[in-house]
Amino acid sequence: MSSSEIAKEIFKCVELLNEKLERKDWLKSFRTRARQMPELIFTRGLGYTLAYIASKSSATYFEQAFMFSSCDDLVNRASQLRVGDEEAGYTLYAWLLTLALRGTGLVKASRFSELLASALENPLLESTAFSIAEWIKRAAEAYIEERR
């Protein structure tokens, strides 16, 4: 997919999550993660950021992202999660980031450990991930209301 197609897909996914996910606290947590991750990718790198996300969610949940071929798959699986609000936010972010990275064609990984290895070895993947993270941030800010 081209970068514009990936951006459209990200906005579609976030819109679907906002419409279909009943757990609004999960959406709030996802929005928070979406706002934090671009800076973390920029300052610490993609490999560190992936490891951080997995530590806050779990590598097991992260692995599920490799089963998704579309936003619909992601949204359907999200409704079945049985986790706390913060963990849900990290998990949803991991899933969307992974889906988008796979859409670039730069990621051939089918496991979290392979994605992490690719992130540590491929500088192009890191710059692409930063761009994707910025799109996720903008989509989350556009579709998910900040609750005060």
Side-chain angles (χ1 to χ4, degrees):
M1 275 193 268
S2 70
S3 59
S4 62
E5 291 171 323
I6 290 170
K8 288 178 198 175
E9 191 71 7
I10 288 168
F11 270 77
K12 174 186 166 191
C13 282
V14 174
E15 182 180 24
L16 276 173
L17 279 170
N18 191 48
E19 287 174 0
K20 299 192 181 238
L21 198 61
E22 293 178 11
R23 301 285 308 268
K24 298 307 175 192
D25 289 340
W26 289 7
L27 290 170
K28 180 182 175 187
S29 179
F30 170 77
R31 185 180 196 273
T32 299
R33 307 294 78 83
R35 295 182 84 192
Q36 294 170 337
M37 292 305 135
E39 181 181 347
L40 195 58
I41 291 170
F42 184 77
T43 58
R44 301 300 294 265
L46 179 59
Y48 176 88
T49 303
L50 294 172
Y52 178 80
I53 293 168
S55 76
K56 295 296 188 176
S57 173
S58 77
T60 303
Y61 280 129
F62 216 125
E63 294 275 334
Q64 293 178 13
F66 296 99
M67 296 185 292
F68 306 145
S69 60
S70 70
C71 293
D72 291 324
D73 293 343
L74 187 155
V75 172
N76 290 336
R77 178 62 183 108
S79 64
Q80 300 168 14
L81 276 174
R82 301 289 176 251
V83 296
D85 297 343
E86 185 173 322
E87 188 175 359
Y90 281 103
T91 299
L92 294 171
Y93 190 86
W95 289 355
L96 182 52
L97 179 63
T98 303
L99 185 64
L101 286 171
R102 290 176 64 213
T104 66
L106 293 172
V107 174
K108 305 296 184 217
S110 59
R111 300 185 49 104
F112 171 72
S113 59
E114 295 169 359
L115 176 60
L116 183 59
S118 293
L120 294 169
E121 297 166 359
N122 186 345
L124 179 58
L125 184 58
E126 186 159 325
S127 65
T128 301
F130 180 74
S131 176
I132 287 170
E134 283 289 329
W135 281 115
I136 294 172
K137 176 181 174 180
R138 296 299 169 222
E141 289 174 337
Y143 284 109
I144 302 169
E145 254 185 64
E146 184 173 27
R147 294 187 176 85
R148 298 188 190 267

